[in-house]
């Protein structure tokens, strides 16, 4: 493994100790299996690029990345690593890593096979369109975001078992690192996490304790649940003891998920959304994620413009991209939803003719207008979804975004099973025009119906050129996800940036409504000129991108914006 010199300087002895302890865990020596929590403090600040010549992984947590690397080095392929990392994240990053939530996977094998897997949660059979409205017809956000009624039927375990058909190693080897972590891993609750999550984490883990700074977090029940899944497979989660514990938990609150809901859950292979952008092929997630459609629309709207003739980050370039985003996000609100339930004219929405017509009223140097509608504005999205990117030594690539929705989901832990449940029901439009906590206005196509999937923005994406892998990428961030993926692709394709620069460059987000641009750290002059163009600027945009870029000489640039990149 090669690292940039900056990183070399930063490797501390603590980090080395972590690696040693990890080897001990995985190679099953007789060392104590409880690891000092103090070793697990890691900061989510700027992370430099890791360069590798064979394979790499990138995820938010050093332990999940090390699990991925371990699996790859032991002969596993990219799917093996992605499965093991998802399970490890469920243990070490309970804010978003999960077995009680859902997500999406985009994969491309070195023989050219491309597939997208939808393991998004579904509405329980007893869900109904108005279930989150009060007597006055107003949305009761606390019901759709916290507690038992906010939970969608979880899809992660179904997704993992569905993707096992591409795995090389036996499942028991892929889940074992997560079991070891759940048994041996503990950490002292971090004050930053507490500040951001205390309100959504009411009485959660190991029986009804509120977290406070310095509490130690252990997960023996989760370890037992993972062992049952290891021994009994998918059925354990959807029909076995774990399913029964979920339903019992539902009954303790006002939850409506039944044994039948769990039994009927299916992860679904979807036809990947594939399109060309300036000689590159983009492979991304179709509905029920809005991500692919948005990225497709935004890239195709800017393609007729000579982006590379403007400087990256120049107001001319930003002006075009913001206007493309405004128009794409408007369509998200109006048209997008689960295409198994509603008609969505995707082909028309991504057609050249339609996208050209959308940009007809764009006037260079001026802000466009989003027709005002009186909509509630929610707070800035926090980053409690998580993404992982993997490339193995044979060039197979996997991109997975997974979530509980908000930090720690609905804040309910399944009693006796030790894992958190999602609050994904909030991603439905609780009524036409209502927003979700993840951002985005919901239209009628995203209203609640039994068994329907709620619209997502998660965008696991893979870029290829001339049949060669170029990039694997994704990020958390609710509706800002497609914006970050879109701009990272533009940075690489139009501005020829390396992975590190593309990831760390300032980015923006405009989602039609509210009519404002959220901006990262652009120079003050850029902001001033954008304001003069008529844009309302709102400072604050960040992403947690996980990107692997493959160069022509097959070397890898692995970048975890704030997590941990590993390669060899
Ligand atoms: O599916 C979605 O789009 C949201 N539930 C994702 C939420 C999210 O990304 C929150 N964290 N950043």
């Amino acid at each position: 493994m090669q690292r940039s010199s900056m990183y070399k300087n930063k490797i501390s002895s603590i980090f080395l100790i972590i690696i040693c302890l990890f080897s001990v865990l995985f190679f099953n020596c007789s060392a104590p299996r409880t690891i000092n929590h103090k070793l697990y403090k890691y900061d989510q600040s700027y992370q430099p690029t890791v360069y590798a010549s064979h394979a790499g992984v990138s995820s938010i947590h050093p332990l999940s990345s090390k699990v991925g690397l371990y699996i790859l080095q032991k002969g596993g392929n990219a799917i093996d690593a992605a499965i093991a990392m998802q399970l490890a994240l469920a243990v070490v990053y309970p804010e978003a890593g999960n077995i009680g939530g859902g997500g999406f996977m985009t994969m491309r094998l070195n023989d050219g096979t491309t597939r997208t897997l939808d393991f998004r949660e579904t509405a329980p059979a007893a869900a109904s369109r108005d279930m989150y409205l009060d007597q006055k017809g107003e949305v009761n956000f606390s019901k759709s975001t916290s507690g038992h009624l906010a939970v969608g039927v979880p899809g992660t375990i179904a997704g993992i078992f569905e993707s096992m058909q591409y795995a090389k190693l036996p499942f028991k080897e892929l889940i074992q690192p997560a079991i070891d972590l759940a048994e041996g891993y503990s950490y002292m609750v971090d004050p930053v996490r507490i500040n951001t999550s205390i309100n959504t984490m009411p009485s959660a883990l190991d029986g009804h304790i509120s977290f406070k700074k310095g509490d130690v977090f252990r997960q023996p029940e989760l370890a037992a649940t993972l062992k049952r899944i290891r021994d009994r497979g998918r059925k354990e989660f959807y029909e076995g003891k774990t399913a029964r514990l979920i339903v019992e938990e539902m009954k303790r609150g006002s939850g409506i998920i039944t044994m039948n809901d769990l039994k009927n859950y299916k992860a679904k292979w979807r036809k990947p959304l594939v399109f060309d952008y300036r000689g590159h092929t983009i492979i991304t997630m179709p509905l029920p994620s809005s991500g692919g459609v948005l990225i497709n629309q935004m890239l195709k709207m800017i393609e007729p413009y000579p982006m590379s003739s403007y400087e990256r980050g120049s107001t001319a370039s930003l002006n075009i991209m913001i206007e493309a985003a405004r128009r794409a996000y408007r369509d998200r609100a109006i048209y997008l939803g689960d295409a198994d339930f509603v008609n969505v004219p995707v082909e028309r929405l991504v057609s050249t003719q339609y996208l050209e017509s959308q940009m007809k009223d764009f006037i260079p140097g001026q802000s466009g207008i989003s027709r005002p509608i009186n909509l509630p504005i929610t707070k800035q999205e926090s980053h409690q979804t998580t993404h992982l990117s993997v490339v193995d030594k044979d060039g197979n690539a996997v991109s997975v975004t997974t979530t509980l929705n908000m930090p720690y989901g609905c804040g309910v832990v399944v009693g006796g099973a030790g894992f958190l449940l999602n609050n994904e029901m909030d991603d439905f439009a609780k009524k036409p025009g209502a927003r979700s906590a993840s951002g985005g206005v919901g239209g009628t196509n995203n209203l609640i119906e039994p068994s329907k999937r709620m619209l997502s923005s998660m965008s696991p994406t893979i870029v290829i050129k001339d049949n060669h892998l170029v990039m694997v990428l994704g990020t958390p961030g609710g509706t800002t996800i497609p914006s970050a993926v879109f701009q990272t692709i533009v940075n690489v394709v139009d501005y020829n940036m390396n992975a590190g620069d593309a990831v760390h460059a300032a980015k923006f987000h405009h989602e039609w409504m509210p009519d404002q641009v959220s901006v990262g750290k652009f120079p003050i002059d850029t902001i001033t000129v954008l304001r003069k163009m008529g844009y309302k600027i709102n400072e604050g945009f960040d992403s947690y991108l996980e990107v692997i870029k493959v160069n022509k000489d097959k070397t890898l640039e692995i970048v975890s914006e704030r997590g941990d990149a590993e390669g060899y």
Side-chain angles (χ1 to χ4, degrees):
M1 190 199 331
Q2 284 177 10
R3 289 172 188 267
S4 71
S5 56
M6 223 178 129
Y7 194 39
K8 266 185 195 152
N9 296 339
K10 276 182 121 186
I11 291 181
S12 66
S13 55
I14 289 181
F15 200 64
L16 290 173
I17 294 169
I18 293 175
I19 296 170
C20 295
L21 282 168
F22 240 66
S23 317
V24 167
L25 263 182
F26 288 142
F27 295 113
N28 250 336
C29 299
S30 55
R33 294 173 78 82
T34 301
I35 303 170
N36 189 333
H37 54 77
K38 284 188 185 129
L39 295 176
Y40 289 95
K41 279 204 168 292
Y42 72 101
D43 75 76
Q44 293 185 346
S45 55
Y46 160 78
Q47 300 293 327
T49 304
V50 168
Y51 298 92
S53 43
H54 301 286
V57 301
S58 172
S59 79
I60 187 65
H61 201 288
L63 297 183
S64 58
S65 291
K66 281 172 180 38
V67 165
L69 185 68
Y70 162 76
I71 293 290
L72 290 178
Q73 289 186 320
K74 149 180 204 199
N77 63 19
I79 289 93
D80 290 310
I83 291 169
M85 289 169 80
Q86 285 176 78
L87 291 162
L89 281 165
V91 179
V92 299
Y93 194 64
E95 295 93 318
N98 67 82
I99 57 171
F104 300 98
M105 175 181 83
T106 299
M107 60 178 249
R108 179 180 185 272
L109 303 182
N110 61 4
D111 65 3
T113 306
T114 55
R115 300 205 77 182
T116 41
L117 180 63
D118 160 3
F119 50 99
R120 181 69 160 166
E121 298 90 331
T122 54
S128 58
R129 179 187 150 132
D130 297 339
M131 63 190 278
Y132 299 113
L133 301 186
D134 64 18
Q135 283 170 341
K136 290 186 192 144
E138 300 298 329
V139 179
N140 183 336
F141 284 102
S142 71
K143 274 193 177 169
S144 66
T145 58
S146 57
H148 301 67
L149 194 60
V151 186
V153 182
T156 297
I157 290 296
I160 283 174
F161 279 97
E162 200 53 55
S163 59
M164 273 303 293
Q165 63 185 275
Y166 293 99
K168 248 167 93 180
L169 299 179
F171 181 69
K172 62 177 185 357
E173 288 184 33
L174 304 180
I175 198 171
Q176 197 56 43
I179 294 170
D180 290 344
L181 285 165
E183 284 183 328
Y185 172 80
S186 60
Y187 65 83
M188 191 179 280
V189 170
D190 182 283
V192 178
R193 288 199 187 145
I194 279 304
N195 290 341
T196 56
S197 63
I198 192 80
N199 296 328
T200 52
M201 194 74 184
S203 60
L205 298 143
D206 282 347
H208 310 288
I209 315 154
S210 290
F211 275 132
K212 56 185 187 308
K213 181 183 166 184
D215 282 347
V216 175
F217 180 84
R218 291 195 182 90
Q219 303 179 86
E221 289 182 344
L222 177 58
T225 299
L226 293 172
K227 280 184 187 164
R228 290 196 304 277
I229 295 171
R230 175 193 63 194
D231 299 338
R232 296 185 199 130
R234 181 195 188 284
K235 260 194 158 181
E236 163 58 29
F237 189 89
Y238 290 99
E239 297 176 57
K241 179 176 175 185
T242 308
R244 288 195 297 279
L245 290 171
I246 293 173
V247 173
E248 277 168 27
E249 184 57 54
M250 287 289 118
K251 289 181 182 151
R252 278 194 282 278
S254 52
I256 53 175
I257 293 177
T258 62
M259 288 300 280
N260 263 342
D261 286 321
L262 290 162
K263 194 172 166 197
N264 293 335
Y265 181 85
K266 281 192 179 51
K268 294 186 179 178
W269 292 101
R270 304 281 183 187
K271 188 167 170 258
L273 191 58
V274 181
F275 61 95
D276 287 335
Y277 178 67
R278 293 195 212 279
H280 291 70
T281 304
I282 317 293
I283 305 155
T284 188
M285 203 63 220
L287 294 170
S289 176
S290 63
V293 175
L294 285 165
I295 293 166
N296 189 343
Q297 285 195 315
M298 291 189 283
L299 286 173
K300 288 309 236 187
M301 275 193 255
I302 70 164
E303 199 176 34
Y305 298 87
M307 299 303 290
S308 58
S309 70
Y310 314 117
E311 213 173 299
R312 142 80 219 178
S314 63
T315 50
S317 153
L318 287 170
N319 185 207
I320 297 164
M321 290 201 284
I322 294 168
E323 292 308 319
R326 178 200 305 282
R327 288 156 176 79
Y329 277 92
R330 174 179 167 277
D331 282 358
R332 180 193 197 276
I334 296 173
Y335 298 108
L336 303 190
D338 181 352
D340 288 348
F341 284 73
V342 291
N343 278 328
V344 184
V346 174
E347 270 187 34
R348 183 170 76 85
L349 294 177
V350 298
S351 69
T352 310
Q353 199 190 6
Y354 174 78
L355 294 171
E356 276 175 12
S357 75
Q358 289 296 91
M359 286 300 272
K360 273 221 165 90
D361 58 353
F362 164 58
I363 304 171
Q366 279 186 28
S367 164
I369 295 169
S370 301
R371 203 147 46 86
I373 306 179
N374 202 10
L375 291 165
I377 296 173
T378 46
K379 61 179 173 15
Q380 179 78 17
E381 176 60 27
S382 62
H383 287 85
Q384 262 62 38
T385 290
T386 196
H387 184 87
L388 59 96
S389 296
V390 186
V391 175
D392 68 22
K393 67 175 181 9
D394 299 317
N396 302 303
V398 178
S399 186
V400 177
T401 315
T402 183
T403 192
L404 290 167
N405 191 22
M406 290 164 72
Y408 303 101
C410 70
V412 173
V413 170
V414 178
F419 63 90
L420 282 151
L421 290 166
N422 67 82
N423 59 353
E424 218 71 64
M425 288 296 284
D426 184 65
D427 273 353
F428 277 116
K430 278 71 65 182
K431 64 177 187 179
R435 282 181 170 278
S436 67
S438 319
V441 180
T444 48
N445 276 350
N446 190 29
L447 290 170
I448 303 169
E449 289 182 56
S451 305
K452 188 177 176 182
R453 283 153 149 92
M454 54 298 280
L455 188 65
S456 174
S457 301
M458 292 188 277
S459 314
T461 298
I462 293 175
V463 180
I464 57 172
K465 187 176 185 195
D466 302 330
N467 275 327
H468 292 294
L469 187 61
V470 171
M471 193 159 54
V472 183
L473 75 164
T475 179
T479 45
T480 69
I481 295 171
S483 295
V485 172
F486 162 56
Q487 289 164 80
T488 307
I489 294 173
V490 171
N491 287 348
V492 168
V493 172
D494 291 276
Y495 295 110
N496 213 14
M497 287 171 129
N498 63 34
D501 288 346
V503 164
H504 296 296
K507 300 191 178 58
F508 76 86
H509 178 64
H510 188 302
E511 58 178 43
W512 174 57
M513 285 287 180
D515 191 351
Q516 64 184 30
V517 194
S518 304
V519 294
K521 292 198 173 83
F522 286 102
I524 181 71
D525 196 56
T526 307
I527 306 285
T528 308
V529 175
L530 287 175
R531 285 205 167 104
K532 279 193 181 151
M533 286 179 172
Y535 290 109
K536 182 163 181 275
I537 303 292
N538 177 21
E539 281 180 32
F541 173 88
D542 51 15
S543 47
Y544 286 58
L545 283 151
E546 308 290 352
V547 175
I548 304 180
K549 183 165 172 283
V550 186
N551 295 316
K552 284 196 184 121
D553 64 359
K554 299 265 184 290
T555 55
L556 306 179
E557 294 170 20
I558 314 163
V559 186
S560 179
E561 191 171 0
R562 294 146 194 263
D564 184 52
E566 297 285 337
Y568 72 94

